[in-house]
Amino acid sequence: MDQYAPPLPHGPLEEVFPDVFFVTGTMKTELMNAHWHFSRNMTVVRDGDELTLINSVRLDDAGLAQLEALGRVVNLVKIGSLHGRDDAFYKARYGARFWALPGMQHEGGLTADVDLVPGGEVPFKGCSVFEFKTTKLPEAILHIDRAGGILVACDALQNWVQPDDFFSNESRDMMAGMGFFQRANFGPVWMQVSEPKGDDFSRLRELSFKHALCGHGEPLRDIAAEAYGARIAQVFAG
């Protein structure tokens, strides 16, 4: 396993809804000629004793023991083109089925075992796929029919209200100036790179959901539909 990116500091896996778990960890990268050091999230969905990892974050040995105590890792789902650093690790460790949108590029020589497409096969019961149709890079959101409706997003939807313990001081200041920290946000870098159009978000508003678990930021509970609806109106009005 030494050939894969090492685990970085992270918090505990927490059950945020029944059989839906969430963990926040660290990302370090270079982008736009700058060093970035910030937080990212993985969502884990349990269906019986089967686990599905979404927006994978490599956990340390204690974290993997906590994960394995929840069930068997059988699915690994990539919904965001700008994520995927740790997918190859989980694929190698557990032999999980790797799901991804057609056209995505993957690290570590991975290829998708199953194409993730709207109306197609899904990794667990009560899951459906929302695909962005106007973006330059493939991106999806999973809708989970539990707890009144949960959206699991990667970079398209974010909810960084404020920087957390996994930020460097430099990135905290830089990203504050770039508008990252606001509730029910769209990822600023993702917006710049993928250039989504309002038609996608108009379709997103038709989904029934109360909560959002994003690749970045805190879980947004109960008011997610209203909060993202307001953000959509703010960004795409006119």
Side-chain angles (χ1 to χ4, degrees), residues 71-90:
R72 299 181 297 116
V73 177
V74 299
N75 294 306
L76 176 66
V77 182
K78 180 176 177 177
I79 56 175
S81 287
L82 302 181
H83 282 223
R85 172 184 182 270
D86 295 319
D87 287 339
F89 167 79
Y90 282 106

Side-chain angles (χ1 to χ4, degrees), residues 17 20 142-144 146-152 209-213:
F17 300 103
V20 180
L142 298 186
H143 180 275
I144 303 175
R146 300 183 190 180
I150 305 167
L151 297 187
V152 181
F209 63 97
K210 294 177 63 176
H211 320 287
L213 302 174

Side-chain angles (χ1 to χ4, degrees), residues 43-82:
T43 296
V44 180
V45 179
R46 182 165 58 190
D47 185 17
D49 70 339
E50 296 186 348
L51 303 180
T52 294
L53 312 185
I54 308 163
N55 300 330
S56 70
V57 173
R58 182 174 176 178
L59 304 177
D60 59 21
D61 288 344
L64 291 173
Q66 187 185 10
L67 177 68
E68 291 164 4
L70 299 178
R72 299 181 297 116
V73 177
V74 299
N75 294 306
L76 176 66
V77 182
K78 180 176 177 177
I79 56 175
S81 287
L82 302 181

Side-chain angles (χ1 to χ4, degrees), residues 217-235:
E218 304 170 6
L220 183 56
R221 301 173 183 269
D222 300 319
I223 61 167
E226 294 86 350
Y228 283 110
R231 183 66 174 152
I232 290 167
Q234 179 185 21
V235 174

Side-chain angles (χ1 to χ4, degrees), residues 103-126:
M104 280 182 159
Q105 302 296 311
H106 310 300
E107 298 184 30
L110 279 183
T111 57
D113 297 310
V114 188
D115 284 341
L116 192 69
V117 295
E121 186 181 0
V122 290
F124 54 88
K125 294 190 298 291

